[in-house]
Every structure is written in structure tokens, then in C-alpha cells.
């Protein structure tokens, strides 16, 4: 009976992870699949002595923790990567603006010199 409850909880936990984190890489999807598979196996073949059940529960908890860690790390890495890309984009835009300002200043300088030559 306890294995049915534990297997159902692991399946719900895996579904929550997939919905919240939305795995983007194959390894993340694979870890979620393993976590869900342990839940299904716990429901289907959850019997035996208390030692076997204890080992099975520990394996489920370890895989659930690893999947949470892996998905959270992937989410942080993606956010950090987007932040770096945004910073680089801002730097490029700032450099282009600076170059455009220099170009405009040089153009004004040449126009004022040409006007001074006409007046002289």
C-alpha cells in the first residue's frame, strides 16, 4: 500500500517538475523520464520485503532530488545566458551609438569648415 502512495507522489512530483521547469535539453527530459519511471515501477511492482521497499524508496528520493537539481541548474544557466546576451547586445548598441555620434560630429565639423571657407 505504501508503495502505491509513494509511486503516486513521485509521479505527481515529476509532473510538477515538467510543468514548472519545462525541460529544454535531452538530458533534462531523460532525468524526468527516469523519475517518472521509478514512480510507475513503484506502483506496478511495489512489493517484497521491507528492505527492498526501503531501497526502492531511497532510490526514488535520490532520483527526484537529482531531477530537481538538474532542472533548476538548467533554468539558472538559461537565465544567466540570456542576461549575458542582453549585456552584450547593450554594449554593441552603445558602441554603435558612440560611432554614430562621432560621425555626426565629424560631419558638422566639415560643414562648418566649408562654410567658413565660403565666407572668407
Amino acid at each position: 500500500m505504501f508503495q502505491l502512495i509513494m509511486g503516486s507522489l513521485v509521479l505527481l512530483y515529476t509532473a510538477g517538475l515538467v510543468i514548472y521547469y519545462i525541460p529544454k535539453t535531452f538530458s533534462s527530459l531523460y532525468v524526468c523520464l527516469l523519475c517518472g519511471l521509478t514512480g510507475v515501477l513503484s506502483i506496478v511492482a511495489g512489493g517484497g520485503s521491507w528492505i527492498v521497499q526501503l531501497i526502492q524508496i531511497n532510490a526514488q528520493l535520490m532520483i527526484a532530488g537529482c531531477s530537481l537539481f538538474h532542472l533548476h541548474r538548467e533554468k539558472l544557466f538559461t537565465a544567466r545566458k540570456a542576461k549575458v546576451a542582453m549585456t552584450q547586445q547593450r554594449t554593441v548598441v552603445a558602441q554603435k551609438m558612440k560611432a554614430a555620434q562621432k560621425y555626426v560630429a565629424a560631419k558638422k565639423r566639415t560643414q562648418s569648415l566649408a562654410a567658413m571657407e565660403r565666407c572668407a
Side-chain angles (χ1 to χ4, degrees):
M1 181 67 183
F2 185 69
Q3 291 295 328
L4 292 174
I5 295 169
M6 192 65 186
S8 300
L9 288 176
V10 170
L11 281 175
L12 288 173
Y13 177 78
T14 304
L17 284 178
V18 169
I19 290 169
Y20 183 73
Y21 285 106
I22 306 171
K24 293 170 183 62
T25 61
F26 177 74
S27 61
S28 298
L29 190 61
Y30 186 70
V31 169
C32 287
L33 180 69
L34 282 177
C35 190
L37 186 63
T38 58
V40 169
L41 288 177
S42 176
I43 292 171
V44 172
S49 67
W50 64 273
I51 295 174
V52 173
Q53 290 180 3
L54 186 64
I55 291 171
Q56 189 175 8
I57 290 170
N58 284 332
Q60 287 174 345
L61 292 176
M62 285 191 318
I63 290 176
C66 288
S67 63
L68 174 65
F69 175 74
H70 187 76
L71 289 171
H72 187 68
R73 188 180 67 176
E74 180 185 45
K75 183 178 181 180
L76 291 178
F77 178 73
T78 305
R80 189 178 309 128
K81 190 176 175 182
K83 185 178 178 183
V84 167
M86 184 64 79
T87 304
Q88 288 176 346
Q89 184 181 8
R90 286 181 185 161
T91 303
V92 168
V93 168
Q95 289 173 349
K96 286 182 179 180
M97 293 277 291
K98 198 172 191 180
Q101 288 172 352
K102 283 183 182 179
Y103 175 75
V104 169
K107 192 172 183 180
K108 285 182 181 178
R109 219 176 305 128
T110 56
Q111 287 176 351
S112 65
L113 286 175
M116 286 175 38
E117 286 177 1
R118 275 188 255 141
C119 292

